[in-house]
Amino acid sequence: MANAGRKHVDLGSLRDKRAAAILTVVALGVATPLVARLTFPGWVEASALAQVRLLTRLAGLFVLAGAYPAVLILIRLGLTDVSVYQHRALLRLYPVFCNVFQVLVALDGFLLVVWPERFALPSFWADLLLSVSGVGLLPAVLHHQSWLAGFDPYTVLSARGALEGAGTLLYSRTPLDTLDYRVLQLVAQSGSDVSAVMINDMAIGVRDLNLRLRKLVALGYLDVVDEQHGPQLTLTSLGTDTLALPVSLFTWRTNDLELLQELASARLALEERQPQKVVVAGARCCERLLRGLLAAHVPPITSAGGKDVNRATLGDLVGACRHHGLIGRFEDNIFSALNERRKKIHALQDERPIDDQDAFILYTLTEIAARALLSQRPQAEAAPLAAGGGGQAEPTGA
């Protein structure tokens, strides 16, 4: 509680080149009243409409190129206290005001060309400079909005370079937790809008969020790309595969990548309304879990229902685990229900085939069964729970 209520001032962000560009524009915008006063003798003889044009443009530049971004800079540096909603509203309204001003500048230019005798200033070069300033200064701020939101792509990308000397990195789900998963969801839902990622409602501080982003970029779940409109956060294939997994899985502490692949494929098949694939993937998950229990027994159990464990059906595996006391009544009931649902994939002529409702029930039961078994496993186990399914697989979604 020692830091409670202490304001965090981030003056180090001023070293960013984007900050230099924005500060230059702000300085020019704030100086417009002084410019208007110093050039007063040059436009005092102009027509009333020309003077209104001049003052309207200078006032617009003062507000949108000077005062408004100056407030955003103060927020970015931590010199003011605003809520998340206020900060987001200011960032979202700024482009709207700038676009309205740009439209007015375009209409003003049209009137100037059509009726220069009535709208033009005494000096052609003054009109030209004013038009260029009105069109060019505001986009210079809009292009660097990621700095105003608090996103530094170079800092995030530096985390990837920090892993280059770390040797071979084992890509498993273990390094991630539920908060990392939520950050991936935030990036996906934002459509790579950096301001929406940095100014969010997740109740996570900007410094902790930056650490999460650096971690996800370093491990290959996110990437930073430089688009025409500025740096963007994008999901990699590893990140999109991870989002196909249930969020509760990230508390189970399993490194069994093949099991994660089956869970992810079942989840995707459920979303795509392919009940047959849900049944197949769910049955494989359950068989893998039960084979792992039999293999972890001392001594290992190699047969189930009179068959080799690797060739045993789901019903045989449930019976063997029940016989050896490896599952309780709760797990027994779940796996038995799963097995009955699975049998509907081979529906007889007069039976109703498996549908979306059956697929949803089977997937839910599969996730409950996986959680019931995986949450009971010792955290220090290095071998996968499902030891009967081959060697190390490529990362599929974890």
Side-chain angles (χ1 to χ4, degrees), residues 289-338:
L289 287 166
L290 294 175
R291 289 193 182 102
L293 285 177
L294 295 173
H297 187 270
V298 181
I301 301 170
T302 58
S303 64
K307 306 173 187 176
D308 184 82
V309 168
N310 292 328
R311 295 187 177 183
T313 64
L314 178 58
D316 296 331
L317 295 171
V318 174
C321 290
R322 182 192 306 122
H323 175 72
H324 293 281
L326 300 180
I327 55 176
R329 181 178 299 179
F330 176 73
E331 293 84 1
D332 190 355
N333 292 335
I334 291 178
F335 283 115
S336 298
L338 282 166

Side-chain angles (χ1 to χ4, degrees), residues 45-380:
E45 300 296 335
S47 64
L49 288 177
Q51 293 182 17
V52 171
R53 284 182 54 246
L54 172 66
L55 295 178
T56 300
R57 285 196 178 190
L58 290 178
L61 288 176
F62 174 75
V63 173
L64 297 178
Y68 201 126
V71 173
L72 296 176
I73 290 174
L74 293 177
I75 298 174
R76 175 67 179 87
L77 298 180
L79 299 176
T80 61
D81 286 326
V82 295
S83 67
V84 170
Y85 302 101
Q86 290 172 330
H87 193 185
R88 186 189 295 113
L90 287 171
L91 286 173
R92 287 181 176 177
L93 288 175
Y94 183 66
V96 176
F97 293 151
C98 289
N99 290 334
V100 172
F101 181 72
Q102 296 282 50
V103 171
L104 294 177
V105 170
L107 292 175
D108 176 72
F110 173 79
L111 295 175
L112 178 62
V113 173
V114 172
W115 200 350
E117 296 82 4
R118 191 70 180 273
F119 292 95
L121 292 172
S123 172
F124 167 77
W125 295 106
D127 253 331
L128 179 62
L129 179 61
L130 193 60
S131 299
V132 172
S133 301
V135 174
L137 289 181
L138 301 184
V141 179
L142 293 175
H143 183 65
H144 298 299
Q145 287 184 93
S146 59
W147 181 83
L148 293 173
F151 178 69
D152 187 352
Y154 305 103
T155 301
V156 174
L157 285 174
S158 66
R160 179 173 297 171
L163 290 180
E164 292 180 354
T168 303
L169 179 65
L170 178 61
Y171 283 99
S172 69
R173 191 212 52 80
T174 305
L176 298 191
D177 55 25
T178 53
L179 193 53
D180 294 320
Y181 184 90
R182 294 303 185 192
V183 173
L184 287 176
Q185 284 184 321
L186 177 64
V187 175
Q189 294 168 1
S190 70
S192 296
D193 183 358
V194 170
S195 62
V197 175
M198 302 304 298
I199 314 298
N200 60 80
D201 301 325
M202 288 180 56
I204 176 174
V206 64
R207 284 170 288 178
D208 194 18
L209 176 61
N210 270 298
L211 290 175
R212 298 283 176 173
L213 293 176
R214 294 179 66 184
K215 172 183 176 180
L216 293 170
V217 168
L219 294 178
Y221 292 84
L222 292 178
D223 197 6
V224 179
V225 296
D226 192 10
E227 300 288 355
Q228 290 183 345
H229 43 274
Q232 299 292 299
L233 282 166
T234 59
L235 289 165
T236 64
S237 58
L238 184 61
T240 54
D241 291 343
T242 301
L243 288 177
L245 298 171
V247 65
S248 57
L249 182 143
F250 289 84
T251 64
W252 299 347
R253 304 291 184 184
T254 178
N255 293 323
D256 187 355
L257 300 182
E258 292 187 22
L259 176 63
L260 299 181
Q261 180 183 17
E262 295 294 352
L263 282 170
S265 62
R267 177 69 169 265
L268 291 175
L270 182 65
E271 294 176 355
E272 296 169 359
R273 303 188 67 178
Q274 300 182 25
Q276 301 285 345
K277 290 185 177 181
V278 176
V279 173
V280 172
R284 286 177 180 171
C285 288
C286 296
E287 291 173 358
R288 190 169 180 82
L289 287 166
L290 294 175
R291 289 193 182 102
L293 285 177
L294 295 173
H297 187 270
V298 181
I301 301 170
T302 58
S303 64
K307 306 173 187 176
D308 184 82
V309 168
N310 292 328
R311 295 187 177 183
T313 64
L314 178 58
D316 296 331
L317 295 171
V318 174
C321 290
R322 182 192 306 122
H323 175 72
H324 293 281
L326 300 180
I327 55 176
R329 181 178 299 179
F330 176 73
E331 293 84 1
D332 190 355
N333 292 335
I334 291 178
F335 283 115
S336 298
L338 282 166
N339 191 38
E340 291 301 317
R341 291 278 176 175
R342 181 190 61 82
K343 292 178 181 178
K344 293 186 66 175
I345 197 173
H346 304 294
L348 300 178
Q349 184 175 1
D350 297 332
E351 291 181 335
R352 180 175 60 86
I354 193 167
D355 55 16
D356 291 341
Q357 182 178 3
D358 293 320
F360 175 78
I361 295 174
L362 191 141
Y363 173 79
T364 304
L365 291 175
T366 301
E367 187 174 334
I368 293 173
R371 182 177 181 85
L373 294 186
L374 294 176
S375 60
Q376 297 174 5
R377 304 302 297 178
Q379 302 290 342

